[in-house]
Amino acid sequence: MEPDVKEQLDKILSQYTGESGELIPILQEAQERFGYLPGEVMQKIAKFLQLPQSTVYGVSTFYAQFKLTPTGKRIVKVCRGTACHVRGGARILREVEKKLGIKPGETTDDREYTLETVACIGACALAPTMVVDKETQRKMTPKKVTELFSDRGKAE
Ligand code: FES
């Protein structure tokens, strides 16, 4: 573990008493700090709470909020809900995949973008939709995808 990571994790753990019920808040805080949950961080959390590593790993994989791999600086979420699907959502997803050169759940090599899909973002009347950096993009078209990711022109 890098000294820097160790120091930051120790700081987080110092606020807790080591009871097993503290697992989720610790994981949340660690993820907020590191952007995801590195294996070595989960190991140390398991040790601190005197829990088997499999328990910590199991909880981290059970909840969608926890990420076990590094994410990009910008999170892109494409809606896969019914309203978006009937209005061409699948095509939008294909365009985004092509532009970024990644599939849902993946991050670009330069760690700039992570692509995810969501069940509905609650803007069905404006389908198909997607979210980039928490900003909802409405009535998407392949052309709008190209404009949004104009900096990724060469990524295939
Ligand atoms: S189904 Fe896409 S916003 Fe609701």
Side-chain angles (χ1 to χ4, degrees):
M1 184 180 289
E2 286 176 25
D4 184 39
V5 173
K6 187 182 177 305
E7 194 184 311
Q8 292 189 57
L9 184 56
D10 284 343
K11 209 167 157 192
I12 292 171
L13 296 179
S14 69
Q15 302 166 75
Y16 293 90
T17 58
E19 284 169 36
S20 59
E22 295 171 333
L23 176 57
I24 289 185
I26 291 175
L27 289 174
Q28 284 169 332
E29 217 173 309
Q31 176 162 289
E32 203 169 300
R33 186 67 54 93
F34 304 115
Y36 74 110
L37 296 170
E40 56 189 6
V41 166
M42 286 198 287
Q43 280 168 22
K44 186 147 189 213
I45 292 171
K47 208 169 161 194
F48 175 73
L49 296 175
Q50 296 184 326
L51 288 171
Q53 285 181 24
S54 57
T55 302
V56 176
Y57 184 79
V59 168
S60 311
T61 50
F62 179 78
Y63 293 102
Q65 62 173 302
F66 295 124
K67 299 186 189 316
L68 303 191
T69 49
T71 52
K73 281 187 227 149
R74 310 180 70 189
I75 309 288
V76 178
K77 297 179 183 180
V78 178
C79 182
R80 266 190 154 158
T82 310
C84 287
H85 182 74
V86 298
R87 292 195 187 131
R91 177 137 188 244
I92 298 304
L93 179 59
R94 275 200 308 276
E95 285 297 317
V96 176
E97 288 175 347
K98 211 166 103 185
K99 270 286 169 202
L100 299 181
I102 51 174
K103 298 276 180 200
E106 295 178 352
T107 297
T108 55
D109 288 342
D110 61 3
R111 297 253 181 100
E112 201 58 38
Y113 291 98
T114 292
L115 176 58
E116 296 174 355
T117 56
V118 286
C120 175
I121 62 165
C124 308
L126 300 162
T129 63
M130 59 187 281
V131 178
V132 182
D133 288 337
K134 297 187 179 155
E135 195 177 316
T136 304
Q137 304 291 332
R138 305 163 166 95
K139 296 190 176 177
M140 288 303 297
T141 61
K143 191 170 170 252
K144 283 189 184 173
V145 172
T146 304
E147 286 164 10
L148 263 180
F149 302 111
S150 55
D151 60 322
R152 310 294 293 189
K154 292 190 180 85
E156 291 293 324

